[in-house]
Amino acid sequence: GNSVTQMEGPVTLSEEAFLTINCTYTATGYPSLFWYVQYPGEGLQLLLKATKADDKGSNKGFEATYRKETTSFHLEKGSVQVSDSAVYFCALSSNQGGKLIFGQGTELSVKP
Amino acid sequence: GAGVSQSPSNKVTEKGKDVELRCDPISGHTALYWYRQSLGQGLEFLIYFQGNSAPDKSGLPSDRFSAERTGGSVSTLTIQRTQQEDSAVYLCASSREDRVEEPQHFGDGTRLSIL
């Protein structure tokens, strides 16, 4: 079946460091891929998405590229801020009505 | 409001009681989803509705769980004879339609605690 695997957290970085959160997936068909973010005390928010192979999603300085050959969708940011501290979820949307399958989440903590 | 609205935000109840959780999706969104977020299981899909089609109930963990969507808008998730393992945050999401590429917009969730 379809599944998503994320690198385990927590990830602790200093401000302005480079961020990578790894995400790989297993899916049949042609899924769309998403990164959602959950800031402390808030609900899930869409961060970025990519709907086909080689697409790059970007938002708020974050980027992720849909790599079909490696079944990956790694999240990157060149210079993190304290305000980026949150839990990040990688997800795929299958061809079964758009329901999302999530990775286990990666907690990011950015220190000043 | 412009977002997905869920109520109550918190619910504490005794084991064995029934609970109802409500979701008001974004106006005009035809697809509505329920998920559960718990420490042990992460984020799990429960059920989804699209227009007038029969709901996809494939994620419901037991027959104690049911959901309905009246008039293509508001949805209610009902858990009967609650158990302690039902304690979790229940999230509702909606999207313009149930297409693979459509992003889902989430409510703030209902935190359910079973004593």
Side-chain angles (χ1 to χ4, degrees):
Chain A
N2 297 342
S3 66
V4 176
T5 302
Q6 284 179 242
M7 63 185 287
E8 288 193 20
V11 173
T12 303
L13 295 174
S14 297
E15 207 165 21
E16 299 183 2
F18 184 86
L19 168 71
T20 299
I21 301 178
N22 290 336
C23 171
T24 58
Y25 68 91
T26 302
T28 54
Y30 303 94
S32 289
L33 301 173
F34 303 86
W35 277 100
Y36 282 84
V37 59
Q38 190 170 34
Y39 297 103
E42 298 185 16
L44 273 170
Q45 302 174 26
L46 176 69
L47 181 59
L48 53 84
K49 71 171 188 176
T51 59
K52 61 182 187 296
D54 300 325
D55 267 3
K56 178 186 284 187
S58 61
N59 186 27
K60 299 182 180 179
F62 290 89
E63 293 184 340
T65 301
Y66 188 162
R67 302 283 189 201
K68 195 169 176 63
E69 63 276 15
T70 54
T71 61
S72 65
F73 193 55
H74 305 322
L75 182 68
E76 296 182 336
K77 186 174 185 181
S79 176
V80 294
Q81 306 300 311
V82 172
S83 57
D84 294 326
S85 298
V87 181
Y88 293 81
F89 293 91
C90 184
L92 71 82
S93 178
S94 70
N95 53 6
Q96 298 167 336
K99 63 189 181 188
L100 291 171
I101 296 169
F102 288 91
Q104 64 268 43
T106 302
E107 182 180 0
L108 170 67
S109 177
V110 181
K111 306 297 185 186
Chain B
V4 176
S5 178
Q6 292 188 246
S7 62
S9 54
N10 283 283
K11 177 73 175 178
V12 181
T13 192
E14 294 178 348
K15 176 181 170 182
K17 300 286 189 184
D18 297 352
V19 295
E20 284 189 356
L21 312 179
R22 175 187 168 105
C23 173
D24 205 337
I26 292 172
S27 177
H29 281 195
T30 61
L32 185 149
Y33 304 80
W34 285 98
Y35 297 88
R36 178 168 71 173
Q37 186 175 22
S38 58
L39 280 174
Q41 302 297 323
L43 271 158
E44 306 171 274
F45 164 77
L46 297 177
I47 185 171
Y48 98 92
F49 300 85
Q50 168 58 38
N52 295 321
S53 303
D56 177 348
K57 305 178 182 180
S58 60
L60 294 179
S62 78
D63 59 8
R64 296 186 295 104
F65 288 72
S66 63
E68 62 178 22
R69 188 179 185 190
T70 54
S73 181
V74 172
S75 177
T76 302
L77 177 69
T78 301
I79 310 173
Q80 296 178 309
R81 304 180 304 281
T82 51
Q83 304 294 312
Q84 287 187 329
E85 61 263 27
D86 300 334
S87 296
V89 177
Y90 289 82
L91 297 172
C92 178
S94 70
S95 63
R96 288 185 302 176
E97 52 188 303
D98 66 341
R99 294 177 61 184
V100 170
E101 63 270 25
E102 279 292 329
Q104 295 176 22
H105 301 265
F106 284 81
D108 289 339
T110 294
R111 182 175 297 278
L112 177 64
S113 301
I114 310 299
L115 302 179

